[in-house]
Amino acid sequence: MNEPVVRISGLHKRFGDNHVLRGIDLEVSRGEVVCIIGPSGSGKSTLLRCVNMLETPTGGTVRVLEHELTDPDCDIDRARTRIGMVFQSFNLFPHMSVLDNICVAQRKVLGRSAEDSAARARQLLARVGLSEKEAAYPAQLSGGQQQRVAIARALAMDPAVMLFDEATSALDPELVGEVLGVMRALADEGMTMLVVTHEMGFAANVGSRVVFMDGGVVVESGPPAEVLGNPREERTRRFLASVRNH
Amino acid sequence: MALTRRQRARAFRYGVYATSVAAVVAVALFVDWGKLSGALFQWDLVTEQFPEILTRAARNTLIFTVFGFIGGLGMGLLFALMRLSSVRPYRWFAATYIEIFRGIPLLVTLLLLGFGIPIATGWRWPNPYLQGVVPLSLVASAYMAETIRAGIEAVPRGQMEAARSLGMGYPRAMATIIIPQAFRIIVPPLTNELVLLIKDTSLISVLGVTDATKDLARFGRDGVNSSANATPLIVAGLVYLAMTLPLTQLVAWMERRTKAASR
Ligand SMILES: Nc1ncnc2c1ncn2[C@@H]1O[C@H](COP(=O)(O)OP(=O)(O)O)[C@@H](O)[C@H]1O
Ligand SMILES: [Mg+2]
């Protein structure tokens, strides 16, 4: 059976009086690429950040593999090694070279040796097409290159699921493609992915499922062709129309 | 005819120049230069200060500064982390500590710890250097804590989030990701504090230092007393400058280098 890697149920998140997530149920199976779309402020980032406890949910449960993250006794740091996260703003460590960015957590968290972690880092740099940049510092790279390093850094932990929060939104338009290409290759290799994106083309072509969120709830969810091509809900239709007018 | 703004600004500037030149000329005319230079800078008295002003006085000033700085930095880091802690009593304690030691003059802290505590408890400072270094670093740590906290807060939030999302615990993320970046940011203010510390060591002489622990300022003052001439203090001031100027230059260079490396 294909048991889910991520299982979110009855998830609520409030920031003070702001009730941002209002009961989210979502499962991501192994190898699935779930794309989350929705208007700005609908809680997509908050949902993703609740999956690895960068935000603490105010209600409901989040499970990743055998880790019940919402359980107070859960070893969050250990669980997080299984959850890769890629941020809109890359968040590479500016005081470290590209290679060190990818090695530091392998060594300090997983306890890998310097040689093993460097070997793994080089393998991943080759995969994202940046082998020649291992000695560079983040500030010497373009946005697209930085984001590819960030993806390699997350992959170096051998995560079971990757979270992408608008990974291409901060990029110049001509650099979006190289990052989406890496993400697509990752999906093709069978990585389980939860992707918040405004790239409808990516959601349509790479997503195994599209989830439309609005006002802190999942409005509609299903195969890309249905949700994007023939949405059931009026809100989804309005959102897609507004996106396509741009 | 009305003047334009630029003409008015220029007229004002010339006025300032003229006043300054007049003041300098007046000082030059009315001051007895021979007498003044004799009292301030007598060459045989200058040479008389050496080598002791370096081998003893400057050395002691350096000892107080270096250990005061190391102690202040270590404790300052600790108090900065406590101020940023999620544990309320830690925050409260650090904030109180910082306010107290920034609010009391160093001179008073020196006297309180150097004399007050021994008088009150009968306990004696085991080492005259310690008697100066401990109050100095306690006060320095209060200032440095605020500088370090500002540096830590200047590191973008995303850095901590990226480190945590890779499975690093809070202490490890702080130590390997946040604090190294924070220290790069605070090299300039921290150096200012080092320079201030060099100068602040001059207050330690109120503790009645022995001959062996005499610092630069005390050395200059004793020289003035024994020679009835200000030259020893002038020389001491020049030695202070010789310590502070290279430091600020060195840091300026390090900043330029860091900037170039991270570009
Ligand atoms: N750390 C936070 N503190 C307070 N409010 C927040 C915080 N993060 C997000 N929010 C609020 O939660 C809502 C949803 O934000 P977000 O999840 O970023 O939406 P999206 O990613 O869909 O644009 C917004 O109203 C935002 O202001
Ligand atoms: Mg967002």
Side-chain angles (χ1 to χ4, degrees):
Chain A
M1 238 331 273
N2 206 356
E3 113 277 11
V5 177
V6 179
R7 188 185 295 159
I8 300 164
S9 52
L11 184 66
H12 285 262
K13 176 64 184 176
R14 294 170 186 269
F15 293 106
D17 289 338
N18 190 2
H19 198 172
V20 174
L21 298 181
R22 301 163 174 258
I24 304 274
D25 298 290
L26 184 64
E27 292 191 354
V28 186
S29 304
R30 199 174 301 280
E32 219 184 356
V33 178
V34 173
C35 293
I36 303 174
I37 61 171
S40 174
S42 57
K44 305 180 300 293
S45 296
T46 305
L47 171 61
L48 222 56
R49 292 160 59 83
C50 280
V51 173
N52 71 353
M53 294 290 119
L54 286 180
E55 302 290 356
T56 312
T58 38
T61 58
V62 175
R63 221 187 144 80
V64 175
L65 302 175
E66 74 277 17
H67 303 280
E68 182 100 35
L69 283 106
T70 36
D71 177 352
D73 293 331
C74 175
D75 183 349
I76 300 287
D77 292 334
R78 249 195 72 199
R80 279 180 177 145
T81 63
R82 309 309 318 280
I83 309 168
M85 178 125 186
V86 177
F87 301 87
Q88 184 177 342
S89 48
F90 327 138
N91 296 343
L92 291 182
F93 306 133
H95 59 304
M96 294 180 179
S97 68
V98 164
L99 196 70
D100 288 342
N101 262 276
I102 305 176
C103 288
V104 63
Q106 291 188 69
R107 300 191 56 189
K108 306 231 170 197
V109 178
L110 302 180
R112 284 184 190 154
S113 71
E115 302 79 54
D116 289 353
S117 53
R120 178 83 177 114
R122 294 201 171 97
Q123 189 187 348
L124 287 165
L125 277 175
R127 200 155 130 194
V128 300
L130 289 172
S131 291
E132 76 285 11
K133 295 290 187 189
E134 67 170 63
Y137 279 81
Q140 299 167 316
L141 303 180
S142 74
Q145 292 171 330
Q146 288 189 54
Q147 193 61 296
R148 286 187 278 154
V149 172
I151 293 171
R153 179 177 69 177
L155 289 173
M157 308 301 283
D158 298 320
V161 56
M162 288 281 289
L163 313 176
F164 292 84
D165 189 3
E166 296 194 29
T168 58
S169 293
L171 297 176
D172 292 335
E174 73 272 19
L175 302 177
V176 168
E178 63 190 59
V179 173
L180 289 181
V182 168
M183 289 167 64
R184 173 193 284 265
L186 206 55
D188 290 344
E189 288 161 32
M191 176 59 78
T192 309
M193 293 162 60
L194 196 48
V195 183
V196 170
T197 186
H198 289 304
E199 298 292 333
M200 293 304 150
F202 182 86
N205 297 325
V206 183
S208 10
R209 191 146 50 96
V210 172
V211 172
F212 172 67
M213 269 181 77
D214 194 10
V217 296
V218 171
V219 175
E220 185 165 355
S221 148
E226 273 173 34
V227 176
L228 299 175
N230 186 22
R232 276 176 287 124
E233 299 289 331
E234 176 56 28
R235 275 198 277 179
T236 316
R237 237 170 274 151
R238 271 207 308 272
F239 171 73
L240 290 174
S242 76
V243 172
R244 277 171 192 146
N245 283 341
H246 283 290
Chain B
M1 212 180 83
L3 297 174
T4 66
R5 247 164 90 143
R6 178 177 293 180
Q7 282 169 324
R8 268 207 309 276
R10 187 186 296 165
F12 178 75
R13 210 162 57 226
Y14 287 150
V16 171
Y17 291 161
T19 313
S20 316
V21 169
V24 170
V25 168
V27 169
L29 286 178
F30 293 114
V31 167
D32 181 344
W33 285 103
K35 200 172 149 205
L36 193 65
S37 75
L40 285 180
F41 207 75
Q42 238 174 22
W43 192 250
D44 54 328
L45 277 178
V46 172
T47 52
E48 212 171 86
Q49 307 307 311
F50 292 89
E52 214 189 340
I53 195 169
L54 296 181
T55 57
R56 180 183 300 168
R59 179 172 171 270
N60 283 330
T61 290
L62 271 180
I63 289 175
F64 286 124
T65 304
V66 167
F67 287 98
F69 189 76
I70 292 172
L73 198 63
M75 284 189 291
L77 179 59
L78 182 71
F79 290 126
L81 292 173
M82 284 172 80
R83 278 220 51 176
L84 294 168
S85 163
S86 53
V87 184
R88 187 166 304 181
Y90 287 174
R91 286 204 304 271
W92 182 84
F93 177 84
T96 308
Y97 177 93
I98 289 165
E99 289 310 325
I100 287 176
F101 280 95
R102 287 201 311 175
I104 298 177
L106 173 60
L107 183 59
V108 174
T109 306
L110 275 169
L111 291 172
L112 264 177
L113 294 177
F115 293 144
I117 288 181
I119 288 171
T121 63
W123 178 80
R124 292 276 167 271
W125 285 95
N127 175 318
Y129 284 109
L130 222 50
Q131 192 181 9
V133 163
V134 169
L136 201 62
S137 42
L138 287 179
V139 173
S141 74
Y143 287 94
M144 290 192 203
E146 285 299 89
T147 305
I148 295 169
R149 180 178 67 97
I152 289 174
E153 285 179 338
V155 176
R157 277 175 63 96
Q159 291 292 306
M160 177 57 92
E161 294 183 348
R164 296 305 303 273
S165 75
L166 289 166
M168 292 190 202
Y170 180 87
R172 173 158 280 151
M174 265 290 168
T176 58
I177 305 301
I178 307 299
I179 289 172
Q181 293 184 58
F183 271 91
R184 273 158 207 237
I185 297 170
I186 62 175
V187 163
L190 223 44
T191 310
N192 286 337
E193 268 148 36
L194 178 58
V195 171
L196 288 177
L197 202 60
I198 293 178
K199 297 185 292 179
D200 279 349
T201 56
S202 62
L203 284 171
I204 283 177
S205 59
V206 300
L207 295 176
V209 291
T210 65
D211 242 20
T213 59
K214 223 188 247 182
D215 75 302
L216 263 173
R218 182 54 178 251
F219 188 87
R221 188 169 131 201
D222 290 353
V224 169
N225 285 341
S226 62
S227 68
N229 189 293
T231 303
L233 267 183
I234 299 269
V235 178
L238 290 174
V239 178
Y240 275 115
L241 268 180
M243 294 161 104
T244 52
L245 280 182
L247 252 173
T248 48
Q249 297 308 305
L250 174 75
V251 167
W253 173 79
M254 287 194 310
E255 278 186 301
R256 282 197 301 272
R257 205 185 54 160
T258 315
K259 230 184 223 162
S262 66
R263 199 177 287 138

